[in-house]
Amino acid sequence: MSLPYSTEKQVAITAVRRACALTSSVFNKLVKNETLTKDDKSPVTVADYSAQAVVNTILSRAFPADPIVGEEDADELRQASGETLRMRIVELANEALTADLGIGEVAEWGLGPGQERTSAELMDAIDHGSDQGGRVGRRWTLDPIDGTKGFLRGGQYAVCLALMVDGEVVLGVIGCPNLPVNNAEPDGPKGCIFVAVTGQGAEQTTLSGANPTPLTIPPVAPGTLNLLESVEAAHSDLAFNTRVSELLNITRAATQMDSQAKYCCLARGDGGVYLRMPTRAGYKEKIWDHAPGSVLIRECGGVVTDSRGQPLDFGLGRTLGENYGVIAAGRDVHAQVLAAVQTAQAEEREMAKA
């Protein structure tokens, strides 16, 4: 008898693996050779759309009744002005979909030689990511490139996919094409996939699916705790993080990187705390930015809450609702990190009164 979500797990790994190959190809073909711009023809836009087309195509073939909460839609691509970009996306997506079958992959998922899609089919696949979320039923969440600036720098980014059932995250797959397989060898082989299924633990594999390694967040030895935080100051209150570090007597410098690769590093012990506090009023975290990371940390024996100590609520729609921040850490240290965060918040409130 197979384990729950075993087929979903393999489909998700396949989709993320192929999207990782595509995004790496885009970087090597386009980012290194083109002038980077922020308009809709920038390499990150090409990769974003193409990866969403690939993942949504695979999910729709394997689970046609499942809705997808995605970041992009194809409205602009369907217009005459989007023809050049659309043609490039179709070419890249088909290149990824028609590559030879890999470990655990099945042709019935629309994969392998001869499985090209038309432009219309791929635009429809992109638009399949328009679900609004909710607390009832099955749905997938997708961020085809989490950490766009990291992607453009050749640094850390991630392809992030999760399955939710009745508002609870039950499966998470995160592909990190540029993350070292072993943090102790930063110049060694790169490219990892992190997989977690509720009640079944978590593991890291290579991008090809080889060398599965079970993951457990190790206990934090005294003096070794440090923060994992965003590179971009706009994404997290880094000054607040510094104060939290002081309250926890942390002496190690924070590890800064883009994307949910931070969750992955925490899962294997490369850093003790992932802290992401809001930088401005009104900003709401998107569910696709935390769904796979949250189940990964939970299945590695860690804890993920907001600054009130409450679990993140993925059943509210496309966002997590009012933003109270995100605190992820091993079970042995989460409570003291939460206390430090709440102390720093109290200090800020007192300063605001002065």
Side-chain angles (χ1 to χ4, degrees), residues 228-253:
L228 293 155
E229 61 185 24
S230 300
V231 175
E232 303 297 327
H235 293 171
S236 185
D237 190 340
L238 303 184
F240 182 89
N241 289 5
T242 299
R243 179 55 184 149
V244 171
S245 294
E246 292 171 352
L247 291 167
L248 291 168
N249 296 314
I250 293 175
T251 56
R252 290 180 60 196

PDB file of all heavy atoms in Angstrom, residues 228-253:
ATOM      1  N   LEU A 228      18.961  33.687   9.531  1.00  0.00           N
ATOM      2  CA  LEU A 228      18.826  33.657   8.086  1.00  0.00           C
ATOM      3  C   LEU A 228      17.842  34.753   7.725  1.00  0.00           C
ATOM      4  O   LEU A 228      16.730  34.792   8.248  1.00  0.00           O
ATOM      5  CB  LEU A 228      18.284  32.296   7.630  1.00  0.00           C
ATOM      6  CG  LEU A 228      19.217  31.095   7.837  1.00  0.00           C
ATOM      7  CD1 LEU A 228      18.416  29.817   7.943  1.00  0.00           C
ATOM      8  CD2 LEU A 228      20.209  31.013   6.680  1.00  0.00           C
ATOM      9  N   GLU A 229      18.243  35.662   6.846  1.00  0.00           N
ATOM     10  CA  GLU A 229      17.384  36.797   6.541  1.00  0.00           C
ATOM     11  C   GLU A 229      17.518  37.191   5.077  1.00  0.00           C
ATOM     12  O   GLU A 229      18.435  36.760   4.376  1.00  0.00           O
ATOM     13  CB  GLU A 229      17.717  37.997   7.443  1.00  0.00           C
ATOM     14  CG  GLU A 229      19.132  38.508   7.293  1.00  0.00           C
ATOM     15  CD  GLU A 229      19.476  39.626   8.277  1.00  0.00           C
ATOM     16  OE1 GLU A 229      18.839  39.717   9.337  1.00  0.00           O
ATOM     17  OE2 GLU A 229      20.403  40.405   7.968  1.00  0.00           O
ATOM     18  N   SER A 230      16.584  38.027   4.627  1.00  0.00           N
ATOM     19  CA  SER A 230      16.562  38.459   3.233  1.00  0.00           C
ATOM     20  C   SER A 230      17.740  39.372   2.915  1.00  0.00           C
ATOM     21  O   SER A 230      18.237  40.095   3.777  1.00  0.00           O
ATOM     22  CB  SER A 230      15.258  39.202   2.934  1.00  0.00           C
ATOM     23  OG  SER A 230      14.141  38.367   3.161  1.00  0.00           O
ATOM     24  N   VAL A 231      18.163  39.340   1.660  1.00  0.00           N
ATOM     25  CA  VAL A 231      19.181  40.282   1.192  1.00  0.00           C
ATOM     26  C   VAL A 231      18.585  41.678   1.088  1.00  0.00           C
ATOM     27  O   VAL A 231      19.201  42.673   1.480  1.00  0.00           O
ATOM     28  CB  VAL A 231      19.731  39.836  -0.177  1.00  0.00           C
ATOM     29  CG1 VAL A 231      20.697  40.893  -0.729  1.00  0.00           C
ATOM     30  CG2 VAL A 231      20.424  38.488  -0.065  1.00  0.00           C
ATOM     31  N   GLU A 232      17.361  41.750   0.584  1.00  0.00           N
ATOM     32  CA  GLU A 232      16.718  43.032   0.306  1.00  0.00           C
ATOM     33  C   GLU A 232      16.087  43.609   1.571  1.00  0.00           C
ATOM     34  O   GLU A 232      15.258  42.964   2.218  1.00  0.00           O
ATOM     35  CB  GLU A 232      15.642  42.863  -0.767  1.00  0.00           C
ATOM     36  CG  GLU A 232      16.160  42.281  -2.079  1.00  0.00           C
ATOM     37  CD  GLU A 232      17.180  43.185  -2.747  1.00  0.00           C
ATOM     38  OE1 GLU A 232      17.040  44.414  -2.609  1.00  0.00           O
ATOM     39  OE2 GLU A 232      18.106  42.663  -3.388  1.00  0.00           O
ATOM     40  N   ALA A 233      16.467  44.824   1.927  1.00  0.00           N
ATOM     41  CA  ALA A 233      15.905  45.473   3.109  1.00  0.00           C
ATOM     42  C   ALA A 233      14.403  45.692   2.967  1.00  0.00           C
ATOM     43  O   ALA A 233      13.678  45.752   3.966  1.00  0.00           O
ATOM     44  CB  ALA A 233      16.602  46.807   3.351  1.00  0.00           C
ATOM     45  N   ALA A 234      13.915  45.766   1.744  1.00  0.00           N
ATOM     46  CA  ALA A 234      12.480  45.973   1.532  1.00  0.00           C
ATOM     47  C   ALA A 234      11.658  44.746   1.898  1.00  0.00           C
ATOM     48  O   ALA A 234      10.451  44.839   2.091  1.00  0.00           O
ATOM     49  CB  ALA A 234      12.222  46.337   0.071  1.00  0.00           C
ATOM     50  N   HIS A 235      12.312  43.582   1.994  1.00  0.00           N
ATOM     51  CA  HIS A 235      11.580  42.336   2.244  1.00  0.00           C
ATOM     52  C   HIS A 235      11.470  41.999   3.721  1.00  0.00           C
ATOM     53  O   HIS A 235      10.624  41.191   4.114  1.00  0.00           O
ATOM     54  CB  HIS A 235      12.269  41.173   1.524  1.00  0.00           C
ATOM     55  CG  HIS A 235      12.190  41.294   0.030  1.00  0.00           C
ATOM     56  ND1 HIS A 235      12.885  40.469  -0.815  1.00  0.00           N
ATOM     57  CD2 HIS A 235      11.486  42.148  -0.760  1.00  0.00           C
ATOM     58  CE1 HIS A 235      12.612  40.817  -2.070  1.00  0.00           C
ATOM     59  NE2 HIS A 235      11.778  41.829  -2.051  1.00  0.00           N
ATOM     60  N   SER A 236      12.328  42.548   4.548  1.00  0.00           N
ATOM     61  CA  SER A 236      12.321  42.221   5.973  1.00  0.00           C
ATOM     62  C   SER A 236      12.994  43.350   6.740  1.00  0.00           C
ATOM     63  O   SER A 236      13.896  44.018   6.215  1.00  0.00           O
ATOM     64  CB  SER A 236      13.064  40.900   6.223  1.00  0.00           C
ATOM     65  OG  SER A 236      12.982  40.508   7.574  1.00  0.00           O
ATOM     66  N   ASP A 237      12.558  43.568   7.965  1.00  0.00           N
ATOM     67  CA  ASP A 237      13.081  44.651   8.793  1.00  0.00           C
ATOM     68  C   ASP A 237      14.423  44.217   9.385  1.00  0.00           C
ATOM     69  O   ASP A 237      14.488  43.633  10.460  1.00  0.00           O
ATOM     70  CB  ASP A 237      12.074  44.986   9.896  1.00  0.00           C
ATOM     71  CG  ASP A 237      12.438  46.257  10.651  1.00  0.00           C
ATOM     72  OD1 ASP A 237      13.622  46.665  10.593  1.00  0.00           O
ATOM     73  OD2 ASP A 237      11.558  46.828  11.303  1.00  0.00           O
ATOM     74  N   LEU A 238      15.498  44.521   8.658  1.00  0.00           N
ATOM     75  CA  LEU A 238      16.822  44.037   9.058  1.00  0.00           C
ATOM     76  C   LEU A 238      17.328  44.717  10.332  1.00  0.00           C
ATOM     77  O   LEU A 238      18.041  44.098  11.121  1.00  0.00           O
ATOM     78  CB  LEU A 238      17.823  44.219   7.912  1.00  0.00           C
ATOM     79  CG  LEU A 238      17.437  43.533   6.575  1.00  0.00           C
ATOM     80  CD1 LEU A 238      18.566  43.702   5.563  1.00  0.00           C
ATOM     81  CD2 LEU A 238      17.124  42.062   6.790  1.00  0.00           C
ATOM     82  N   ALA A 239      16.957  45.975  10.548  1.00  0.00           N
ATOM     83  CA  ALA A 239      17.353  46.654  11.788  1.00  0.00           C
ATOM     84  C   ALA A 239      16.687  45.978  12.989  1.00  0.00           C
ATOM     85  O   ALA A 239      17.312  45.808  14.047  1.00  0.00           O
ATOM     86  CB  ALA A 239      16.971  48.134  11.720  1.00  0.00           C
ATOM     87  N   PHE A 240      15.451  45.594  12.835  1.00  0.00           N
ATOM     88  CA  PHE A 240      14.750  44.859  13.893  1.00  0.00           C
ATOM     89  C   PHE A 240      15.451  43.528  14.158  1.00  0.00           C
ATOM     90  O   PHE A 240      15.653  43.131  15.318  1.00  0.00           O
ATOM     91  CB  PHE A 240      13.298  44.621  13.481  1.00  0.00           C
ATOM     92  CG  PHE A 240      12.479  43.908  14.524  1.00  0.00           C
ATOM     93  CD1 PHE A 240      11.807  44.616  15.501  1.00  0.00           C
ATOM     94  CD2 PHE A 240      12.375  42.522  14.521  1.00  0.00           C
ATOM     95  CE1 PHE A 240      11.056  43.967  16.474  1.00  0.00           C
ATOM     96  CE2 PHE A 240      11.626  41.856  15.470  1.00  0.00           C
ATOM     97  CZ  PHE A 240      10.965  42.577  16.458  1.00  0.00           C
ATOM     98  N   ASN A 241      15.862  42.857  13.091  1.00  0.00           N
ATOM     99  CA  ASN A 241      16.576  41.586  13.247  1.00  0.00           C
ATOM    100  C   ASN A 241      17.862  41.766  14.052  1.00  0.00           C
ATOM    101  O   ASN A 241      18.233  40.916  14.864  1.00  0.00           O
ATOM    102  CB  ASN A 241      16.920  41.004  11.875  1.00  0.00           C
ATOM    103  CG  ASN A 241      15.696  40.482  11.139  1.00  0.00           C
ATOM    104  OD1 ASN A 241      14.564  40.636  11.607  1.00  0.00           O
ATOM    105  ND2 ASN A 241      15.917  39.873   9.985  1.00  0.00           N
ATOM    106  N   THR A 242      18.541  42.884  13.816  1.00  0.00           N
ATOM    107  CA  THR A 242      19.776  43.149  14.557  1.00  0.00           C
ATOM    108  C   THR A 242      19.490  43.259  16.055  1.00  0.00           C
ATOM    109  O   THR A 242      20.246  42.731  16.883  1.00  0.00           O
ATOM    110  CB  THR A 242      20.437  44.437  14.040  1.00  0.00           C
ATOM    111  OG1 THR A 242      20.775  44.273  12.657  1.00  0.00           O
ATOM    112  CG2 THR A 242      21.696  44.757  14.835  1.00  0.00           C
ATOM    113  N   ARG A 243      18.415  43.938  16.409  1.00  0.00           N
ATOM    114  CA  ARG A 243      18.046  44.059  17.829  1.00  0.00           C
ATOM    115  C   ARG A 243      17.691  42.691  18.418  1.00  0.00           C
ATOM    116  O   ARG A 243      18.086  42.382  19.550  1.00  0.00           O
ATOM    117  CB  ARG A 243      16.873  45.028  17.986  1.00  0.00           C
ATOM    118  CG  ARG A 243      16.393  45.191  19.433  1.00  0.00           C
ATOM    119  CD  ARG A 243      17.509  45.603  20.365  1.00  0.00           C
ATOM    120  NE  ARG A 243      17.086  45.665  21.756  1.00  0.00           N
ATOM    121  CZ  ARG A 243      17.897  45.419  22.798  1.00  0.00           C
ATOM    122  NH1 ARG A 243      19.183  45.092  22.605  1.00  0.00           N
ATOM    123  NH2 ARG A 243      17.447  45.520  24.032  1.00  0.00           N
ATOM    124  N   VAL A 244      16.995  41.870  17.675  1.00  0.00           N
ATOM    125  CA  VAL A 244      16.678  40.512  18.149  1.00  0.00           C
ATOM    126  C   VAL A 244      17.968  39.720  18.391  1.00  0.00           C
ATOM    127  O   VAL A 244      18.099  39.014  19.396  1.00  0.00           O
ATOM    128  CB  VAL A 244      15.765  39.784  17.149  1.00  0.00           C
ATOM    129  CG1 VAL A 244      15.607  38.309  17.519  1.00  0.00           C
ATOM    130  CG2 VAL A 244      14.394  40.451  17.082  1.00  0.00           C
ATOM    131  N   SER A 245      18.915  39.869  17.487  1.00  0.00           N
ATOM    132  CA  SER A 245      20.211  39.187  17.666  1.00  0.00           C
ATOM    133  C   SER A 245      20.889  39.626  18.948  1.00  0.00           C
ATOM    134  O   SER A 245      21.473  38.807  19.681  1.00  0.00           O
ATOM    135  CB  SER A 245      21.130  39.468  16.469  1.00  0.00           C
ATOM    136  OG  SER A 245      20.624  38.891  15.293  1.00  0.00           O
ATOM    137  N   GLU A 246      20.821  40.921  19.243  1.00  0.00           N
ATOM    138  CA  GLU A 246      21.422  41.431  20.481  1.00  0.00           C
ATOM    139  C   GLU A 246      20.744  40.821  21.708  1.00  0.00           C
ATOM    140  O   GLU A 246      21.411  40.409  22.663  1.00  0.00           O
ATOM    141  CB  GLU A 246      21.314  42.953  20.531  1.00  0.00           C
ATOM    142  CG  GLU A 246      22.174  43.668  19.488  1.00  0.00           C
ATOM    143  CD  GLU A 246      21.868  45.154  19.423  1.00  0.00           C
ATOM    144  OE1 GLU A 246      20.886  45.594  20.083  1.00  0.00           O
ATOM    145  OE2 GLU A 246      22.581  45.876  18.702  1.00  0.00           O
ATOM    146  N   LEU A 247      19.428  40.742  21.680  1.00  0.00           N
ATOM    147  CA  LEU A 247      18.692  40.178  22.818  1.00  0.00           C
ATOM    148  C   LEU A 247      19.000  38.700  23.010  1.00  0.00           C
ATOM    149  O   LEU A 247      18.952  38.189  24.140  1.00  0.00           O
ATOM    150  CB  LEU A 247      17.183  40.374  22.608  1.00  0.00           C
ATOM    151  CG  LEU A 247      16.685  41.822  22.686  1.00  0.00           C
ATOM    152  CD1 LEU A 247      15.264  41.927  22.165  1.00  0.00           C
ATOM    153  CD2 LEU A 247      16.766  42.323  24.136  1.00  0.00           C
ATOM    154  N   LEU A 248      19.321  38.011  21.923  1.00  0.00           N
ATOM    155  CA  LEU A 248      19.645  36.584  22.002  1.00  0.00           C
ATOM    156  C   LEU A 248      21.143  36.338  22.184  1.00  0.00           C
ATOM    157  O   LEU A 248      21.575  35.184  22.211  1.00  0.00           O
ATOM    158  CB  LEU A 248      19.177  35.874  20.727  1.00  0.00           C
ATOM    159  CG  LEU A 248      17.652  35.770  20.534  1.00  0.00           C
ATOM    160  CD1 LEU A 248      17.322  35.313  19.125  1.00  0.00           C
ATOM    161  CD2 LEU A 248      17.050  34.820  21.564  1.00  0.00           C
ATOM    162  N   ASN A 249      21.916  37.428  22.301  1.00  0.00           N
ATOM    163  CA  ASN A 249      23.378  37.335  22.437  1.00  0.00           C
ATOM    164  C   ASN A 249      24.019  36.584  21.272  1.00  0.00           C
ATOM    165  O   ASN A 249      24.981  35.823  21.443  1.00  0.00           O
ATOM    166  CB  ASN A 249      23.752  36.643  23.763  1.00  0.00           C
ATOM    167  CG  ASN A 249      23.318  37.446  24.969  1.00  0.00           C
ATOM    168  OD1 ASN A 249      23.519  38.657  25.023  1.00  0.00           O
ATOM    169  ND2 ASN A 249      22.697  36.778  25.937  1.00  0.00           N
ATOM    170  N   ILE A 250      23.468  36.819  20.091  1.00  0.00           N
ATOM    171  CA  ILE A 250      24.028  36.201  18.884  1.00  0.00           C
ATOM    172  C   ILE A 250      25.232  37.013  18.433  1.00  0.00           C
ATOM    173  O   ILE A 250      25.151  38.232  18.279  1.00  0.00           O
ATOM    174  CB  ILE A 250      22.978  36.138  17.761  1.00  0.00           C
ATOM    175  CG1 ILE A 250      21.860  35.166  18.138  1.00  0.00           C
ATOM    176  CG2 ILE A 250      23.611  35.731  16.437  1.00  0.00           C
ATOM    177  CD1 ILE A 250      20.712  35.131  17.143  1.00  0.00           C
ATOM    178  N   THR A 251      26.341  36.350  18.233  1.00  0.00           N
ATOM    179  CA  THR A 251      27.565  37.025  17.805  1.00  0.00           C
ATOM    180  C   THR A 251      27.910  36.732  16.349  1.00  0.00           C
ATOM    181  O   THR A 251      28.677  37.473  15.727  1.00  0.00           O
ATOM    182  CB  THR A 251      28.749  36.606  18.693  1.00  0.00           C
ATOM    183  OG1 THR A 251      28.878  35.178  18.666  1.00  0.00           O
ATOM    184  CG2 THR A 251      28.515  37.059  20.133  1.00  0.00           C
ATOM    185  N   ARG A 252      27.381  35.660  15.790  1.00  0.00           N
ATOM    186  CA  ARG A 252      27.649  35.321  14.395  1.00  0.00           C
ATOM    187  C   ARG A 252      26.874  36.258  13.474  1.00  0.00           C
ATOM    188  O   ARG A 252      25.742  36.628  13.743  1.00  0.00           O
ATOM    189  CB  ARG A 252      27.250  33.878  14.097  1.00  0.00           C
ATOM    190  CG  ARG A 252      28.134  32.820  14.738  1.00  0.00           C
ATOM    191  CD  ARG A 252      27.641  31.429  14.376  1.00  0.00           C
ATOM    192  NE  ARG A 252      27.646  31.214  12.924  1.00  0.00           N
ATOM    193  CZ  ARG A 252      26.983  30.228  12.331  1.00  0.00           C
ATOM    194  NH1 ARG A 252      26.238  29.406  13.044  1.00  0.00           N
ATOM    195  NH2 ARG A 252      27.052  30.077  11.021  1.00  0.00           N
ATOM    196  N   ALA A 253      27.494  36.630  12.389  1.00  0.00           N
ATOM    197  CA  ALA A 253      26.823  37.489  11.406  1.00  0.00           C
ATOM    198  C   ALA A 253      25.642  36.755  10.793  1.00  0.00           C
ATOM    199  O   ALA A 253      25.654  35.528  10.649  1.00  0.00           O
ATOM    200  CB  ALA A 253      27.800  37.896  10.318  1.00  0.00           C
TER     201      ALA A 253
END
